[in-house]
Amino acid sequence: MADKIFRVNMSDMSTRIEEVPEAWMGLGGRGLTSTIVAAEVEPTCHPLGKRNKLVFAPGLLSGTPAANSGRLSCGAKSPLTGTIKEANAGGTSAQMLARLGVKALIIEGKPADASKWYSLQVGENGVTIKEESEVVGQGNFATVQALNQRIGDKVGVISIGPAGEMQMLAANISVKDPDNHVRSCGRGGLGAVMGSKRVKFIAVEPTDKKVAIAEPEAFKAANRAFAKALVDNPISKALAQYGTNVLVNIINESGGLPTRNFTAGQFEGHEAISGETMHDTIVARGGKPKHNCHPGCVIQCSQIYADVKGEYKTSGFEYETIWALGADCAIDNLDHVAEADSIMDDIGVDSIEIPVAFGVAMEAGVLKFGDGVELCRILREEVAKGTPLGRIIGNGAGSVGRAYGVTRVPVVKNQAIPAYDPRAIKGIGITYATSTQGADHTMGYTIATNILGVGGKVDPLSKEGQVELSRNLQIATAAIDSTGMCLFIAFAALDDATCLPSLIDMINARFGAKLTADDVTQLGMTILKTEHAFNLAAGFTNKDDRLPEFFRDEPIAPHNVVWDITDEAIDSFWNF
Amino acid sequence: MRFTVKLFAYFRDNRFRAEVRDYPEGTTVEQVIRSLGIDLEEVGVTMINSRHCTLDQVPAEGDQLAIFPAIGGG
């Protein structure tokens, strides 16, 4: 069936199915969410008001048998950063929406009656809006269980937790995964936008329909070559064994592991929170070291982390979360970190923003560095319940800094800087500064080339080559984020000459198109420029593309380096 | 000459996490890797004292040599 735009208006409670405009035909995922937000949202609007729109889009290859193509993009104007935003996650919904023929789901307007909550149910014939009460106030885990019982366990679920209901700026949007746990469109407070629309969850009905493929044989051959490139890549193998948390030790060794609210570049407790320790703990307790976040993933970087009794504690236990709680908050105890990760998934908050906010709160003396027990208590009793302290933390690192008068606040455009110190790994500093969405490592992951030796080598401490590196990666990432592919295909794409051509062959076979590698690069550039233009129209200037000043003033051990890339060099990022 | 060798991920299996080891003067990073029975093809990153190094570099007395397989994440 032909793809359509499904549109829901929460002001008048109407729903429509529309033809896809010609200009949106070749887009998916981030390319589509950003194009729609740029086309339909007033850049200066209040992100939690009726003029903002929340847009979901599966990728160009989602719903097909393409390996690793199950990412769901979600976009809006971000209430955390004020910029355009796209966040994507695995789970089952992207593939289900694509099979239902949903090119994009646009939620606009806002109910006049702010006392009621609603759900959306997406099926072959469109979207149904219903009033909801049962799961209001519930966490994501209880919401998924209730909907499995109510609708059937094959239902796709996209939901917000209590943090989203309270419109906290670090609220995320959760997507049910194949094991009835959740993955998250994590960054930028998109859960608050969903909460502002009074939508508690979106249920996606299962379907027997299939995504149409223009040239099935060519598609099959391309997918075989693509999957082989992913499976054969040594980094894919390490990801399956250790998860993304394999990075703790190498980033620590490089001196770029931000520790105790970014006051040092190495954490003495790194072994206790490392991927190696996590792997051994999981194996000893009978958890699962490898696990997929969406059907069709051949990398399987996720895992099931078990508690001391061998029972499920958390999954999708990522490096950035473990870094933030572990090194940045100095909690050298993986069980405390896992407990916090599970609570954050349940209440629906970004597990980068919130722990970085705790790091700032620790510096302010709200709690002690290393106090994992108190951190979990605050999450459960303050953030989940919306107490004044809970809201200060739930609104992110910048909010905590303002509330407590802390100047060492690691944010760009009010979004927390993740797990790589820009003083010691300078390429990622360019990405943090210039990203269209605030500090976000996934926008242009220079760590690959600065530290991991993937896609060439650029000295992390040198000022040379960092802008070009970040630019090339940000362009490529914008394109990959439009395909529905997991970003981890990039490790194979950067070093295996068969990977990217087979991905493009798949897109061509799916749509009967004739895209070249240059077209894909052009797509990435267009997406970045569209996002940048939205931000400029929202009032941002090049002066916002800067790192906090403490990075300039405070040398970080062990290399004792500061952020020393000039403003002119940063601004040259946009010369393309 | 004594320096510390640190191993990561599966390079630790049946070897060690970190050891101060004795090598003849002039031993290169590559020779250290070979002496440990690690397949050079599997080596992703090497660092001396937290700086990336090449396989033909020679660690000095008291250095920290870190050897990683090809890994990624993010």
Side-chain angles (χ1 to χ4, degrees):
Chain A
M1 92 193 249
D3 294 340
K4 307 277 185 192
I5 302 295
F6 286 40
R7 190 183 294 271
V8 175
N9 186 311
M10 295 304 295
S11 293
D12 61 12
M13 298 288 155
S14 65
T15 68
R16 285 193 312 227
I17 296 181
E18 300 168 359
E19 296 301 319
V20 180
E22 185 67 36
W24 298 357
M25 286 286 194
L27 299 171
R30 173 178 167 192
L32 186 54
T33 63
S34 286
T35 298
I36 293 175
V37 171
E40 298 195 357
V41 174
E42 281 179 32
T44 52
C45 76
H46 195 296
L48 301 177
K50 65 182 179 186
R51 291 185 178 83
N52 200 5
K53 301 191 183 193
L54 186 64
V55 183
F56 293 92
L60 289 168
L61 292 169
S62 300
T64 72
N68 288 60
S69 62
R71 304 290 292 192
L72 178 69
S73 285
C74 178
K77 175 172 173 170
S78 162
L80 182 74
T81 63
T83 65
I84 201 165
K85 174 62 64 176
E86 183 264 2
N88 63 70
T92 58
S93 286
Q95 290 159 329
M96 295 173 74
L97 286 168
R99 287 178 193 137
L100 286 168
V102 179
K103 179 93 171 163
L105 169 66
I106 304 174
I107 305 172
E108 57 194 28
K110 185 173 175 172
D113 181 353
S115 68
K116 292 188 176 138
W117 283 96
Y118 300 89
S119 72
L120 307 181
Q121 189 157 329
V122 185
E124 287 170 21
N125 300 317
V127 184
T128 313
I129 307 175
K130 287 187 192 147
E131 204 177 318
E132 175 64 29
S133 56
E134 184 196 346
V135 300
V136 174
Q138 300 287 315
N140 287 308
F141 300 146
T143 299
V144 166
Q145 288 201 349
L147 296 178
N148 282 349
Q149 289 195 348
R150 194 192 299 178
I151 305 172
D153 57 13
K154 297 266 192 304
V155 66
V157 179
I158 301 165
S159 62
I160 56 172
E165 292 181 33
M166 291 184 275
Q167 299 178 56
M168 289 179 184
L169 301 189
N172 65 20
I173 294 178
S174 294
V175 185
K176 185 177 119 177
D177 77 7
D179 289 343
N180 299 303
H181 300 120
V182 297
R183 316 296 304 188
S184 311
C185 295
R187 308 225 65 194
L190 294 177
V193 179
M194 191 156 148
S196 75
K197 310 284 182 209
R198 309 294 290 175
V199 175
K200 172 66 179 173
F201 67 83
I202 301 162
V204 185
E205 294 173 5
T207 178
D208 295 331
K209 290 187 182 299
K210 290 197 160 63
V211 166
I213 293 173
E215 296 154 19
E217 287 309 313
F219 188 94
K220 216 178 274 176
N223 190 23
R224 209 175 298 129
F226 178 71
K228 184 172 186 322
L230 296 187
V231 171
D232 288 350
N233 189 275
I235 291 181
S236 300
K237 292 176 187 167
L239 276 168
Q241 187 171 0
Y242 300 102
T244 57
N245 199 32
V246 72
L247 290 178
V248 164
N249 279 336
I250 194 167
I251 303 301
N252 183 73
E253 189 67 25
S254 80
L257 189 77
T259 298
R260 290 185 175 78
N261 194 32
F262 287 74
T263 56
Q266 288 181 323
F267 178 44
E268 69 283 3
H270 65 96
E271 275 297 343
I273 59 164
S274 67
E276 288 89 338
T277 299
M278 184 170 95
H279 172 265
D280 294 348
T281 306
I282 289 172
V283 170
R285 292 178 179 177
K288 279 191 201 169
K290 66 182 191 180
H291 169 253
N292 57 337
C293 82
H294 68 270
C297 168
V298 297
I299 296 177
Q300 303 202 306
C301 73
S302 182
Q303 61 299 105
I304 305 278
Y305 184 85
D307 64 15
V308 283
K309 293 183 207 139
E311 285 167 17
Y312 175 91
K313 176 46 76 181
T314 196
S315 57
F317 201 22
E318 306 297 343
Y319 163 65
E320 281 73 19
T321 306
I322 296 168
W323 154 75
L325 293 159
D328 198 46
C329 293
I331 299 169
D332 59 357
N333 178 320
L334 260 185
D335 287 322
H336 290 168
V337 173
E339 176 72 16
D341 185 53
S342 172
I343 301 168
M344 289 191 286
D345 280 351
D346 198 31
I347 63 182
V349 287
D350 177 11
S351 64
I352 294 175
E353 189 70 40
I354 291 292
V356 173
F358 270 110
V360 178
M362 287 170 171
E363 176 160 334
V366 177
L367 70 167
K368 290 196 177 73
F369 278 107
D371 193 345
V373 173
E374 175 63 3
L375 185 146
C376 288
R377 185 202 68 77
I378 292 175
L379 281 174
R380 228 183 255 115
E381 296 177 14
E382 313 271 356
V383 180
K385 293 182 179 162
T387 66
L389 173 61
R391 285 173 191 264
I392 288 169
I393 290 172
N395 282 323
S399 158
V400 174
R402 284 188 290 277
Y404 289 94
V406 178
T407 54
R408 192 183 296 107
V409 182
V411 296
V412 178
K413 301 184 178 76
N414 201 41
Q415 182 166 281
I417 292 179
Y420 314 89
D421 198 289
R423 289 164 288 193
I425 311 175
K426 295 191 194 293
I428 202 70
I430 298 294
T431 296
Y432 297 154
T434 58
S435 143
T436 53
Q437 318 202 5
D440 185 337
H441 62 292
T442 67
M443 289 286 134
Y445 192 65
T446 71
I447 307 308
T449 311
N450 280 154
I451 300 293
L452 306 174
V454 178
K457 292 186 168 100
V458 173
D459 180 355
L461 295 181
S462 164
K463 287 188 263 191
E464 302 304 315
Q466 308 293 1
V467 172
E468 189 186 9
L469 174 65
S470 176
R471 185 193 295 127
N472 290 340
L473 288 167
Q474 289 198 51
I475 290 167
T477 300
I480 290 173
D481 284 346
S482 302
T483 61
M485 286 292 161
C486 166
L487 192 52
F488 290 169
I489 70 154
F491 291 115
L494 284 164
D495 279 347
D496 181 336
T498 66
C499 182
L500 213 48
S502 56
L503 174 59
I504 297 169
D505 288 347
M506 270 197 293
I507 296 171
N508 286 336
R510 154 90 162 92
F511 295 99
K514 301 229 177 310
L515 294 178
T516 63
D518 283 348
D519 294 328
V520 173
T521 304
Q522 195 58 47
L523 171 69
M525 290 182 181
T526 304
I527 294 167
L528 287 187
K529 287 181 175 176
T530 300
E531 293 172 343
H532 190 228
F534 180 94
N535 293 345
L536 295 178
F540 287 86
T541 72
N542 61 327
K543 303 284 193 294
D544 295 296
D545 294 349
R546 302 289 180 259
L547 300 187
E549 63 186 17
F550 77 86
F551 287 116
R552 236 171 38 194
D553 299 334
E554 299 177 8
I556 192 170
H559 297 301
N560 297 317
V561 284
V562 295
W563 174 249
D564 53 2
I565 295 191
T566 63
D567 293 349
E568 291 71 26
I570 295 173
D571 292 344
S572 73
F573 173 87
W574 286 105
N575 296 342
F576 65 91
Chain B
M1 183 179 58
R2 288 165 69 80
F3 55 85
T4 302
V5 178
K6 300 198 261 188
L7 302 179
F8 296 91
Y10 61 86
F11 286 171
R12 290 177 175 180
D13 295 349
N14 303 316
R15 294 192 188 92
F16 54 88
R17 181 190 288 182
E19 265 182 22
V20 179
R21 295 171 71 90
D22 229 327
Y23 287 96
E25 287 291 328
T27 302
T28 64
V29 172
E30 178 173 336
Q31 285 165 335
V32 173
I33 292 168
R34 289 185 188 281
S35 78
L36 294 167
I38 292 173
D39 187 346
L40 268 179
E41 292 271 301
E42 293 184 1
V43 174
V45 173
T46 51
M47 295 185 204
I48 295 174
N49 301 335
S50 294
R51 296 286 282 135
H52 289 75
C53 65
T54 56
L55 293 178
D56 57 8
Q57 261 177 262
V58 177
E61 176 81 23
D63 276 355
Q64 307 257 331
L65 169 64
I67 305 168
F68 300 86
I71 54 175

